[in-house]
Amino acid sequence: MVVVMTPDATDEDVQRVVDKVTAVGGEAFVSKGLTRTIIGLVGDIDSFHGLNLRTLPGVGDVQRISDPFKLVSRQHHPERSTVWVGAPGQQVPIGPDTFTFIAGPCAVESAQQTLEAVEMARAAGAVMMRGGAYKPRTSPYAFQGLGVKGLEILASVREATGMPVVTEVVDARDVAVVAEHADMLQIGTRNMANFGLLQAVGQAGKPVLLKRGMTATIEEWLMAAEYIAQRGNLDVVLCERGIRTFEPATRNTLDISAVPIVQSKSHLPVIVDPSHAAGVKDLVVPLSRAAIAVGADGVIVDVHPHPEEALCDGPQALLGADLRSLAQAVRQLPPTVGRVDAGTARR
Amino acid sequence: MVVVMTPDATDEDVQRVVDKVTAVGGEAFVSKGLTRTIIGLVGDIDSFHGLNLRTLPGVGDVQRISDPFKLVSRQHHPERSTVWVGAPGQQVPIGPDTFTFIAGPCAVESAQQTLEAVEMARAAGAVMMRGGAYKPRTSPYAFQGLGVKGLEILASVREATGMPVVTEVVDARDVAVVAEHADMLQIGTRNMANFGLLQAVGQAGKPVLLKRGMTATIEEWLMAAEYIAQRGNLDVVLCERGIRTFEPATRNTLDISAVPIVQSKSHLPVIVDPSHAAGVKDLVVPLSRAAIAVGADGVIVDVHPHPEEALCDGPQALLGADLRSLAQAVRQLPPTVGRVDAGTARR
Amino acid sequence: MVVVMTPDATDEDVQRVVDKVTAVGGEAFVSKGLTRTIIGLVGDIDSFHGLNLRTLPGVGDVQRISDPFKLVSRQHHPERSTVWVGAPGQQVPIGPDTFTFIAGPCAVESAQQTLEAVEMARAAGAVMMRGGAYKPRTSPYAFQGLGVKGLEILASVREATGMPVVTEVVDARDVAVVAEHADMLQIGTRNMANFGLLQAVGQAGKPVLLKRGMTATIEEWLMAAEYIAQRGNLDVVLCERGIRTFEPATRNTLDISAVPIVQSKSHLPVIVDPSHAAGVKDLVVPLSRAAIAVGADGVIVDVHPHPEEALCDGPQALLGADLRSLAQAVRQLPPTVGRVDAGTARR
Amino acid sequence: MVVVMTPDATDEDVQRVVDKVTAVGGEAFVSKGLTRTIIGLVGDIDSFHGLNLRTLPGVGDVQRISDPFKLVSRQHHPERSTVWVGAPGQQVPIGPDTFTFIAGPCAVESAQQTLEAVEMARAAGAVMMRGGAYKPRTSPYAFQGLGVKGLEILASVREATGMPVVTEVVDARDVAVVAEHADMLQIGTRNMANFGLLQAVGQAGKPVLLKRGMTATIEEWLMAAEYIAQRGNLDVVLCERGIRTFEPATRNTLDISAVPIVQSKSHLPVIVDPSHAAGVKDLVVPLSRAAIAVGADGVIVDVHPHPEEALCDGPQALLGADLRSLAQAVRQLPPTVGRVDAGTARR
């Protein structure tokens, strides 16, 4: 940490900081400038936080130098991790050597719709299925998902197709039942900072797909992963899904740069959800291509056999020619960035 | 709702929309322009949502005209509401005729610190106390609050001072115990879209202080209030606390315009939290003055007897001269906007 | 400045930085941490910029500590400045002791409309007039202003009313003619980073009203003021007019916190334009009240005798009851923050 | 356009709107809803703007339905355009069938540095060169470019290499001299809304590279292109270069979705500048890959033979292994999206 003193700080003010830091076992290096003095702190950063240096007289600012996350940081874990999802024999990898294509309906509406959507997804090359049983909706009057019945449908479709299931959990009280039915627990964008829920999935014994909060910085997102990891679960896959900006042409702005940045700061895999970022199906294929080319470890997209009947996010669901386009991109592009189809690496 | 057709939409495309709308009992008025046709829909808007009009061929866009919230809307409830907080005899109003000054420590750290902070607050004119027993923190390594012990301290300080207590609840599983100890339940900025928690506090039988999500539009914030109201609880007070923008000079950008906008769209009271928006104490007094002058129904600020020992947000806690300045503003400004001190209106 | 080395930086990497810094006459203080080394630089910051330290091996980041502006900084000029606008005998102050109410039409459309608007403004207490002769418009098909004829109208209305004129200049080639007719040159939000224009007005011999870029940080805004000051003109008044955020309920989000922040960092006066931030007239009065209470040195608002005939921004122009409300606020609130009406301080 | 009446609008209010619209030759279709009436307007939209409908009693909102740009719209020009840059025999296309790789130094510092950088660029596959002679800088104390001398260096390097030159113009007074030396005039992000400059380059007789304002919506960006087109110049290439958001990990957030959106709304070509969006060289190669895969018509990147000596933006300049990586991507990826190297299509 670096403590920046105000221009009018006195020698006593500087000494007070030095004394506080050394009292907890740290070292303080003073650089006296013409207009400002700065103090470099060396030692255990957690002990410095308790000092409340920012409230001391003469202190203008305190700047953190190191990343605040530890378990998910790449600093002490230089090799990028692979997370395996599914039952033995059907396990699909998400990691640096493969490309994992995940697809399915936004919401589980019925057994038939789910099965049809997943069959479409599989035909296009998907190796994992998605589908929501619990839907957090902006309006209390909108469809909120089938709940446990939706989970049962997902489990039966997995039975029929052999594809591992990722599904969202929105309430800590539901974590056990979701973990019982699904292979991977998704934390949605609205719950990225729901710390009780993060801790609950950290103890559920299943891999977690952690979507970025639509307004979260990359650092906050990695801190949310740290919450899960701290409860003993390092099988966390991050998912970029767009951030909130001033641009109204898309529902959210896909932050494609987040992929290489996350990969440089953390060892965790990172995938992209182009469907929810764009909000319209016409952008899903080009954004998926961009995601593969930028080096994402996978994509997760919405498909629906009858978008005009969808109970949730119909306008962004792929089918027909668009889905064939995506299938082609998923076959063609990953090898150009040195990756193989995750389906060929099942174990 | 208005359906905007694409420039190349055919007559059949237009007719298909009209047929769908009339099939569910609505009316469709077609305006055929030179390059585009638009269709105005009249009838029950909820029935239109199920039509998925946006996915039909030839449909370019579907624009909502009415506000999506109902119970909290001012449209059918033109008189602005007053919410009463506290036990009979100590009840404090928050509403259009009064100005309610709420203050206390960011976090409850000990019985003594809390009592000292609340006494400071009372001396400055506060009529309600705040204090956090459950603290959602970005880092899993930061102080997370005293939990139930913190609630007990808050209850004992209320005993000593007669001031109603507002405190945050971060997990649906804690709603019952928090409602037992506190007079008002606070939903923090990170949980504004935690719909399970909103529904839980909607059934808890206590007034709710709903902070704006730091990335929520005003409409989404009012929809979150609708979630609470829909469970039968209309005693909701909204709290503007800053939104996330590109400007780094403040922790968040206080959206002062939100106050009159909320007051024109909703009958619910709205207050301002300048401490969390600013993140530094020097801005708290000027922003509080701005909040009173813009017409807020109250402010909620952090005070601490010893900011340099605070376990949470010390740099933004007021004391000494700043607190006296605030006390003066709270006495002087509300009458200029036609309001009396809420303390004089207790019942 | 502080140089933050990467975790894998070698001793040679550190020494290279130290050598470069000392070679240009600076001092480098090394703080060796457990995972990272930081180097505090002391000396002439401009000479460090040429070193390109960020491109050296082992350098992770270079953080600036001091503000990059000098002439407009409050650091070496602790007393806040007053800028005087207008001809001797009619000069109006904008500064820390007064409150300056500026009003007039958004655009000059005709001599009569301008005179009527300015008379309305004067009756409401305004002491300076605004009015645009050159209008930068998003659409090339929208009204672009009357140009020189508009300037002549403004000059004639000043003749009639004795009120100094502020008007916008949008092109460096027009600076001379605008300076000839107006008392103060306005740089609009879209031109805040038009450095050639800033330099031109810096040499024009008239005070400048510098609006904040709708997407500019406070620091960038002060750097734009520095561009003007560097050409010898320190008579610069800053104007907060809203920033671009994700919130669609207002045209821009008025960043009310910018007022006290600017006042702490710079000695220049700062006023608020609530009309362009809000975009609708209903918000202009409450936001003006907030601006006065937060401590702004003035406000600038749009008025129009017949908003329904306005060629530009009619929906935000005040008249009638709203204007009377504003007049009342301008009389009543400045004394509560220790200010007198600028009109009483003319010289 | 659609006029949305307020819930309390009277029949007279509705009739007043209808009368105003029909008086200028338009048609008004009234849809009377339960709580609100909406009126669809058909006819010449420009004539409606003058009506100031938003200021009429009972009018709640006026929503535009059509895009406000015309000449650059794809609506009346469905085929995507190709812009040719350079002297006959050296002309390079930018358009839908090719991929155009543009590279060079951020700033022209000397003849040798420019030539070395351009030779590096050419060896990596670039077919056009970039280089700044006029540099708009946030600080008045930073290097502002060599001006005319820089233009002469660019012209001599073009002589030596046969590569067309694109360079920025920042002031309308410099347009003639820049057009004399360069093959394409660049409008930088800070000047996207400098309408006088846009009009000047619209008349200069050379193709224009129009960077997106870092805070401009896509619609505003296309309106800026319309300003140029309206002066008779349709040879405009758009350049996405990142927008300002809350995320601090990149200088700006590259809005990759803007590429397919622009291509659907406008017939103009669109390229991507990953260097200025990212601000650091490590992201340039992955973002360039993403740009090619998403379907951009080209990329423009910074290279420098000695980044540690660069006078501007050294940290983002490519060289060595990174540049070889980019060269490989530029060879390998365009064919996967059906494009050929623009160099093979010279004329």
Side-chain angles (χ1 to χ4, degrees), chain C residues 52 54-55 137-141 144 172-173 190 194-195 215 220 223 226-227 230 244 307-310 315, chain D residues 52 55 137-141 144 172-173 190 194-195 215 220 223 226-227 230 244 307-310 314-315:
Chain C
N52 257 326
R54 215 180 283 256
T55 65
R137 301 297 292 275
T138 304
S139 167
Y141 307 109
Q144 313 258 333
R173 296 166 295 187
R190 287 177 184 77
N194 183 339
F195 302 124
T215 184
E220 290 167 343
M223 284 308 285
E226 186 85 5
Y227 259 96
Q230 202 211 13
R244 183 157 268 183
E308 73 284 3
E309 296 171 7
Chain D
N52 258 326
T55 65
R137 301 298 292 276
T138 305
S139 166
Y141 307 109
Q144 314 257 333
R173 296 166 295 186
R190 287 178 184 77
N194 183 340
F195 302 123
T215 182
E220 290 167 343
M223 283 309 284
E226 186 85 4
Y227 259 96
Q230 203 213 12
R244 183 157 269 183
E308 72 284 3
E309 295 171 7

Side-chain angles (χ1 to χ4, degrees), chain B residues 208-210 221-222 225 236-240 262 266 268-271:
Chain B
V208 175
L209 183 64
L210 177 64
W221 186 20
L222 291 172
V236 179
V237 174
L238 299 158
C239 180
E240 161 64 33
V262 162
S266 171
L268 300 177
V270 56
I271 68 171

Side-chain angles (χ1 to χ4, degrees), chain A residues 34-276:
Chain A
L34 291 177
T35 56
R36 283 169 182 275
T37 294
I38 61 176
I39 310 175
L41 307 193
V42 170
D44 174 19
I45 203 166
D46 288 334
S47 68
F48 298 156
H49 279 133
L51 298 179
N52 257 326
L53 297 174
R54 216 179 283 258
T55 65
L56 297 184
V59 172
D61 198 9
V62 179
Q63 298 177 357
R64 199 160 38 68
I65 297 297
S66 314
D67 290 331
F69 39 88
K70 302 172 184 179
L71 301 171
V72 308
S73 170
R74 199 165 170 182
Q75 195 163 309
H76 309 293
H77 190 309
E79 203 163 329
R80 295 197 55 228
S81 298
T82 295
V83 171
W84 292 87
V85 182
Q90 302 178 333
Q91 272 193 325
V92 170
I94 307 178
D97 302 321
T98 49
F99 182 81
T100 309
F101 177 19
I102 309 171
C106 184
V108 172
E109 299 162 15
S110 72
Q112 194 192 337
Q113 162 259 6
T114 305
L115 184 59
E116 275 186 62
V118 173
E119 290 292 5
M120 285 166 62
R122 186 162 61 165
V127 298
M128 264 183 69
M129 58 183 275
R130 58 151 295 151
Y134 297 91
K135 302 300 304 174
R137 301 298 291 275
T138 304
S139 166
Y141 306 108
F143 175 65
Q144 314 259 331
L146 297 181
V148 174
K149 174 142 183 44
L151 296 174
E152 291 167 357
I153 290 173
L154 286 168
S156 74
V157 173
R158 175 183 47 203
E159 197 75 16
T161 62
M163 289 164 74
V165 169
V166 57
T167 196
E168 181 166 355
V169 55
V170 299
D171 193 310
R173 295 166 296 187
D174 299 327
V175 166
V177 68
V178 176
E180 196 183 308
H181 290 82
D183 302 291
M184 186 177 213
L185 308 182
Q186 177 180 313
I187 300 292
T189 186
R190 288 178 184 76
N191 281 308
M192 193 208 79
N194 183 339
F195 302 123
L197 182 60
L198 295 177
Q199 292 172 331
V201 300
Q203 296 169 314
K206 286 280 169 79
V208 176
L209 182 65
L210 177 65
K211 289 206 165 180
R212 180 176 181 182
M214 68 182 84
T215 184
T217 62
I218 292 172
E219 186 175 299
E220 290 166 345
W221 186 19
L222 291 172
M223 285 308 285
E226 186 86 4
Y227 259 96
I228 300 171
Q230 202 211 15
R231 291 295 163 120
N233 188 351
L234 266 168
D235 285 338
V236 179
V237 174
L238 300 158
C239 180
E240 161 65 31
R241 48 78 65 212
I243 58 174
R244 184 157 269 184
T245 71
F246 62 79
E247 173 58 61
T250 40
R251 188 198 284 160
N252 291 119
T253 298
L254 185 70
D255 183 8
I256 198 81
S257 316
V259 173
I261 292 172
V262 162
Q263 290 174 344
S264 72
K265 288 182 173 288
S266 171
H267 58 87
L268 299 178
V270 56
I271 69 171
V272 168
D273 175 349
S275 305
H276 285 81

